[in-house]
Amino acid sequence: MIRSRHNILIGIFLLCLLISCKPGVPRHVIQPADMEKLLYDYHVGQAMSQDLTDDREYNQELYKLAVLKKHHVSEAEFDSSLVYYMRHTEQLHAIYKKLSERLNKEALALGASASEVNRYTLSNTGDTANIWTGETVATLIPYAPYNKISFVMPADTAFRKGDKFLLGVSSRFLYQDGSKDAVLQLAVRFANDSVSAKTIHMASNNNYNVEIDDRDTLGIKEIRGFILLTKDKNASETTLKLLLLDNIHLVRFHKDIKSSPADPAEGNPNDPRAPRNSPVPPAPLPGKPLPQPNPSQLQHPTHPDRPLSVKEAGTSIEKSRAR
């Protein structure tokens, strides 16, 4: 009994030792929860500065200092913390993931994440639908594997020949230095295994989209795409470089078929459904051709030298048939 209690105590001691030895964020570094709050306010401040037309660089620095003052953090502490997190990308990614979740919830609460897509009058069962199934908000940093999001979507029964697809996103760069560049690509594999792809570069805070349509009505086999944040080799390795993606959507448009099937009555004057805006000629009897007018029927009864009009000729022919 005593030995059993002794073993339990040893086990508890070893467990506490393992927990205490687990590597964590150093005390001089801004802790993850505080860093998340700071980066959120930093993002809001930078977004506000982008809306000002006068001296943006000055306004960006002004908002940055205001955020640091709010969180009681000096520039040196902020910069040294960024150096640490940039060297520990897994911890940085965990912060950015929580930041993205917070931004996503607030965007949904404000109705902002769907504002751009709603202009297509979406209907999941109609001719236009947002078929994006991933997160609508994401955060990228220029270090693999956290610098890219991608997707593969096999075609299903809702896809039709002639469909068009639009991949769109809103970008927000938070950079302390270096060039901003991200790649947005959409690729469609058709039923005959041919591939159509379109790629654009994103370098500013804006709305971007790429479109591909099945012009030859081949049918769709698969859709692929990605968003990649590239790395500036000449920029510092320890400064803030963050790309916030919002309102990610993939919209499918069914082809608008305006032409209707041919009317079976069209071209058949004997069909009762045929339009009656013009006289319908009588159908000939089987084996008996229509009687042909003789020259006397085409002469005017009182003025032989004057030819009959079309109306008078028709009346003369009808009288001849009645006899």
Side-chain angles (χ1 to χ4, degrees):
M1 187 70 178
I2 297 175
R3 180 176 298 178
S4 177
R5 290 180 179 178
H6 180 70
N7 291 337
I8 292 174
L9 291 174
I10 293 176
I12 294 175
F13 173 77
L14 292 175
L15 181 61
C16 293
L17 184 63
L18 289 173
I19 294 175
S20 62
C21 293
K22 184 180 179 180
V25 179
R27 292 183 179 180
H28 70 275
V29 174
I30 301 173
Q31 297 301 298
D34 295 329
M35 193 65 171
E36 177 193 337
K37 297 176 183 177
L38 192 155
L39 287 175
Y40 174 82
D41 289 337
Y42 185 89
H43 160 68
V44 173
Q46 294 300 302
M48 292 174 64
S49 67
Q50 289 292 329
D51 295 333
L52 302 175
T53 56
D54 299 331
D55 202 347
R56 288 187 176 180
E57 292 185 1
Y58 172 78
N59 290 319
Q60 287 176 357
E61 185 66 18
L62 189 64
Y63 277 104
K64 171 189 171 182
L65 295 177
V67 169
L68 296 180
K69 183 178 180 180
K70 174 185 175 181
H71 291 271
H72 307 287
V73 174
S74 66
E75 285 192 80
E77 290 173 327
F78 181 62
D79 292 339
S80 63
S81 296
L82 285 177
V83 170
Y84 171 83
Y85 283 115
M86 285 296 178
R87 292 175 178 173
H88 298 79
T89 54
E90 291 184 3
Q91 295 178 358
L92 182 63
H93 176 69
I95 293 174
Y96 289 157
K97 186 176 181 180
K98 292 181 179 179
L99 179 63
S100 295
E101 292 173 354
R102 180 177 177 182
L103 291 170
N104 192 25
K105 289 179 180 179
E106 296 195 4
L108 290 174
L110 295 173
S113 63
S115 60
E116 179 68 13
V117 186
N118 284 340
R119 66 188 179 93
Y120 299 113
T121 315
L122 299 184
S123 171
N124 288 332
T125 58
D127 292 336
T128 306
N130 182 12
I131 58 176
W132 180 258
T133 58
E135 296 291 338
T136 59
V137 174
T139 308
L140 300 181
I141 56 177
Y143 302 100
Y146 311 118
N147 62 334
K148 180 180 180 181
I149 59 172
S150 60
F151 70 93
V152 178
M153 183 179 296
D156 57 28
T157 55
F159 287 28
R160 301 177 187 173
K161 292 183 178 181
D163 279 351
K164 181 172 72 173
F165 301 91
L166 179 148
L167 177 62
V169 64
S170 299
S171 64
R172 175 74 66 179
F173 288 89
L174 297 181
Y175 270 51
Q176 287 186 313
D177 69 345
S179 61
K180 307 169 186 175
D181 181 59
V183 179
L184 174 65
Q185 184 183 95
L186 176 65
V188 175
R189 181 181 297 276
F190 299 106
N192 64 352
D193 285 331
S194 61
V195 177
S196 176
K198 288 189 177 180
T199 305
I200 62 172
H201 287 260
M202 305 185 296
S204 63
N205 301 333
N206 210 334
N207 298 322
Y208 294 91
N209 61 73
V210 287
E211 297 181 13
I212 295 180
D213 60 347
D214 182 13
R215 295 182 180 178
D216 298 326
T217 61
L218 300 172
I220 310 298
K221 182 178 287 187
E222 182 184 77
I223 303 175
R224 291 175 175 263
F226 67 82
I227 304 174
L228 171 69
L229 179 61
T230 63
K231 182 180 179 181
D232 184 357
K233 296 181 180 180
N234 299 321
S236 171
E237 295 279 345
T238 58
T239 53
L240 178 64
K241 299 177 186 65
L242 172 67
L243 173 58
L244 297 175
L245 302 173
D246 183 28
N247 191 24
I248 305 173
H249 53 277
L250 177 62
V251 182
R252 183 201 63 222
F253 304 87
H254 283 326
K255 186 176 181 180
D256 185 14
I257 302 177
K258 296 183 179 180
S259 59
S260 57
D263 188 348
E266 186 178 354
N268 183 6
N270 297 314
D271 194 293
R273 296 170 294 175
R276 298 304 180 189
N277 55 354
S278 60
V280 178
L285 296 175
K288 293 184 178 182
L290 288 174
Q292 300 296 321
N294 55 53
S296 63
Q297 293 174 334
L298 300 180
Q299 293 179 355
H300 197 281
T302 58
H303 302 281
D305 297 334
R306 184 170 64 84
L308 292 175
S309 66
V310 175
K311 183 177 180 180
E312 291 171 335
T315 304
S316 177
I317 293 172
E318 291 297 326
K319 290 180 179 180
S320 175
R321 290 175 182 168
R323 294 172 188 163

